[in-house]
């Protein structure tokens, strides 16, 4: 197993010093903060991530107030009850990004979120209680139960929500290959669990959260 110290040192140098690096690193939310976040905010972030895929984030973000209005503040129970005719009407709304598959995914995901929320006393409680050393397991459940959350979309949504996770960006994958953790991009379940084992070992070695280890890996290649 490659020790994390040299990777941290390279990232520190390439970032311009420890203080500069520290300022760039993300901070995960606490378990309490995750649990206290309303289901409507999770559905909003999940949907925003889905619409960001393949588009400039700034474009999607500029339209998000209109999405909040169109989807009733992303209250999951209300969104889950939207009819096909309601969704058709949204396709005529020029204030939105009119992508039928993604618009339908919002309603479908609202239904899935209502079920998880009822089972765990809140969607945030479910996310908060998921063990950090099995984060790829959470990715897999999100990809299975929710639409448009495969690939990096699930991890990116978790990062937006504040759940501690690594994200397999191009630079992170490159660093993993450079350091012989994998030999090619980890797209399958077995390869991703191999990567997760490396992240868990680095987290134990350093005491750093997964999101910071992820960014340090990416910065070590700049």
């Amino acid at each position: 197993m490659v020790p994390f110290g040299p990777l941290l040192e390279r990232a520190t140098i390439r970032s311009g010093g420890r203080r500069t690096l520290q300022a760039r690193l993300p901070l995960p939310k606490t378990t309490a903060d995750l649990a206290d976040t309303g289901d409507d905010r999770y559905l909003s972030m999940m949907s925003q991530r889905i619409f960001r895929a393949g588009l400039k984030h700034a474009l999607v973000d500029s339209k998000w107030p209109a999405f909040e209005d169109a989807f009733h503040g992303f209250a999951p129970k209300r969104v889950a009850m939207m009819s096909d005719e309601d969704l058709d009407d949204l396709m005529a709304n020029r204030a939105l990004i009119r992508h039928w598959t993604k618009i339908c995914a919002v309603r479908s995901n609202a239904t899935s979120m209502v079920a998880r929320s009822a089972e765990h006393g809140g969607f945030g409680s479910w996310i908060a209680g998921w063990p950090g050393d099995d984060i790829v397991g959470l990715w897999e459940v999100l990809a299975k139960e929710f639409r448009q959350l495969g690939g990096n979309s699930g991890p990116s949504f978790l990062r937006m929500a504040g759940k501690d996770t690594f994200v397999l960006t191009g630079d992170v994958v490159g660093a993993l290959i450079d350091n012989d953790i994998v030999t090619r991009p980890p797209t399958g379940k077995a390869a991703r669990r191999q990567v997760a084992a490396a992240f868990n070992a680095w987290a134990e070695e350093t005491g750093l959260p997964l999101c910071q280890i992820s960014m340090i890996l990416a910065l070590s290649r700049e």
Side-chain angles (χ1 to χ4, degrees):
M1 182 65 197
V2 177
F4 200 69
L7 299 173
L8 176 57
E9 184 176 355
R10 283 205 298 273
T12 301
I13 293 170
R14 293 173 183 178
S15 296
R18 182 173 299 179
R19 185 173 299 178
T20 304
L21 173 62
Q22 192 65 38
R24 297 181 66 173
L25 296 178
L27 286 173
K29 287 185 178 180
T30 65
T31 299
D33 284 342
L34 289 169
D36 287 344
T37 300
D39 288 359
D40 61 316
R41 293 305 86 207
Y42 283 112
L43 184 59
S44 178
M45 287 183 283
M46 183 183 290
S47 304
Q48 191 172 9
R49 168 56 209 169
I50 288 169
F51 276 91
R52 279 179 173 182
L55 295 174
K56 291 184 178 179
H57 292 186
L59 170 64
V60 177
D61 296 352
S62 70
K63 292 178 175 288
W64 211 246
F67 274 89
E68 291 277 353
D69 289 339
F71 283 101
H72 311 294
F74 288 100
K77 290 182 179 179
R78 190 167 181 188
V79 174
M81 294 179 65
M82 293 177 73
S83 66
D84 291 343
E85 290 75 16
D86 291 333
L87 301 187
D88 279 335
D89 289 343
L90 297 186
M91 289 295 290
N93 187 339
R94 293 183 176 273
L96 306 179
I97 296 168
R98 292 170 292 171
H99 190 296
W100 177 247
T101 301
K102 294 182 178 182
I103 283 175
C104 289
V106 177
R107 181 180 64 181
S108 176
N109 290 344
T111 300
S112 297
M113 186 172 290
V114 168
R116 277 292 178 179
S117 181
E119 187 178 348
H120 295 273
F123 187 81
S125 294
W126 177 58
I127 293 291
W130 194 278
D133 60 2
D134 184 34
I135 197 64
V136 295
L138 182 54
W139 298 2
E140 291 164 7
V141 174
L142 288 173
K144 181 179 179 180
E145 295 188 5
F146 294 83
R147 293 174 62 178
Q148 302 280 320
L149 285 186
N152 268 341
S153 288
S156 296
F157 155 64
L158 292 175
R159 176 69 62 81
M160 289 173 66
K163 175 69 174 178
D164 189 24
T165 186
F166 59 91
V167 179
L168 294 173
T169 65
D171 282 331
V172 170
V173 170
L176 292 169
I177 293 173
D178 291 346
N179 290 280
D180 300 320
I181 304 302
V182 291
T183 58
R184 59 179 182 269
T187 55
K189 288 184 179 181
R192 288 189 168 192
R193 291 190 176 276
Q194 181 178 340
V195 168
F199 270 90
N200 290 340
W202 284 326
E204 185 175 353
E205 173 191 343
T206 63
L208 296 174
L210 300 175
C211 60
Q212 294 189 3
I213 293 171
S214 182
M215 181 167 284
I216 290 167
L217 276 177
L219 294 173
S220 73
R221 303 194 79 227
E222 289 185 355

